[in-house]
């Protein structure tokens, strides 16, 4: 087995405590048939990470993190979508250790090719925000390219809100978007989207 450096927690301590998050070496699990071993270049922190840490005991050492971007180093025996050297990004799974580690194992079926125009950091910022925005607009609200009316996006300069603006602009031509922002600088940024 290979070991890797991971950031995690053992106790639900306040974020101000120096031991709230610690680094340690952890074992990298063996690859399943559809698994990729990714050398993680960037991760993002999401509200769900905070909620999981606050609400769940570690039961040992728990590694948090969902969003990641990196380079495929190894592939499982049934992998067909990726090869070593491919740059990828993804939101991991709640059923596996988190992405806050140097080497991470993820199923190829929840992984995408990192757009070449994005840095690893920019790509790692997208998965959960983009999934949330997409599901809200097209699954929960059931909007289509033929939809009409007005869409109110509160907090439009946040992660999910900004992705909603981009999706609405590209895919909802007949929907009028009203966006809120908390100050003049953010308002100017929202206006620059159109």
């Amino acid at each position: 087995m290979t070991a890797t450096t991971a950031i995690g927690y053992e106790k639900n301590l306040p974020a101000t405590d120096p031991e709230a998050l610690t680094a340690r070496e952890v074992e990298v699990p063996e690859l399943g048939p559809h698994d990729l071993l990714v050398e993680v270049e960037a991760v993002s922190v999401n509200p769900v990470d905070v909620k999981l840490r606050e609400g769940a005991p570690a039961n040992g050492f728990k590694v948090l993190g969902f969003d990641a971007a990196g380079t495929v180093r190894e592939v499982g025996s049934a992998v067909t979508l990726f090869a070593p050297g491919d740059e990828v990004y993804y939101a991991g799974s709640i059923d596996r250790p988190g992405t806050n580690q140097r080497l991470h194992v993820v199923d190829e079926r929840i992984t995408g090719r990192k757009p070449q125009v994005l840095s690893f950091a920019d790509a790692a910022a997208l998965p959960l925000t983009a999934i949330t925005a997409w599901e809200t607009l097209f699954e929960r609200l059931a909007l289509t390219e033929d939809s009409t009316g007005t869409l109110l996006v509160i907090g439009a300069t946040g992660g999910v809100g900004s992705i909603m603006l981009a999706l609405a602009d590209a895919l909802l031509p007949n929907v009028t978007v009203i966006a809120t922002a908390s100050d003049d600088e953010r308002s100017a940024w929202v206006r620059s989207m159109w």
Side-chain angles (χ1 to χ4, degrees), residues 44-84:
S44 66
V45 178
N46 292 283
V48 69
D49 295 309
V50 175
K51 289 178 183 175
L52 282 175
R53 188 170 98 49
E54 286 176 349
N59 297 324
F61 184 72
K62 184 167 179 79
V63 180
L64 294 171
F66 287 94
D67 291 345
T71 305
V72 175
R73 293 295 170 224
E74 294 179 30
V75 299
S77 61
V79 168
T80 60
L81 302 174
F82 301 97

Side-chain angles (χ1 to χ4, degrees), residues 38-192:
V38 176
E39 183 176 346
V40 175
E41 298 290 338
V43 298
S44 66
V45 178
N46 292 283
V48 69
D49 295 309
V50 175
K51 289 178 183 175
L52 282 175
R53 188 170 98 49
E54 286 176 349
N59 297 324
F61 184 72
K62 184 167 179 79
V63 180
L64 294 171
F66 287 94
D67 291 345
T71 305
V72 175
R73 293 295 170 224
E74 294 179 30
V75 299
S77 61
V79 168
T80 60
L81 302 174
F82 301 97
D86 288 344
E87 294 179 349
V88 297
Y89 72 134
Y90 55 91
S93 169
I94 198 164
D95 299 332
R96 293 185 132 172
T99 57
N100 295 345
Q101 53 189 307
R102 195 66 182 138
L103 296 172
H104 185 252
V105 175
V106 63
D107 191 305
E108 71 169 328
R109 296 168 290 191
I110 61 169
T111 305
R113 292 190 185 280
K114 181 184 81 62
Q116 293 300 308
V117 298
L118 297 179
S119 68
F120 284 108
D122 289 342
L126 284 175
L128 283 179
T129 56
I131 290 167
T132 302
W134 181 274
E135 289 176 348
T136 300
L137 292 174
F138 303 112
E139 293 177 18
R140 301 284 282 169
L141 298 176
L143 299 177
T144 69
E145 66 180 313
D146 297 324
S147 294
T148 60
T150 303
L151 173 68
L152 173 62
V153 180
I154 297 175
T157 59
V160 174
S162 61
I163 298 295
M164 276 190 175
L165 295 181
L167 290 171
D169 185 49
L171 302 172
L172 301 171
N174 303 311
V175 172
T176 300
V177 177
I178 298 173
T180 69
S182 61
D183 60 33
D184 291 340
E185 181 182 352
R186 288 175 179 84
S187 294
W189 180 83
V190 168
R191 286 187 185 96
S192 75

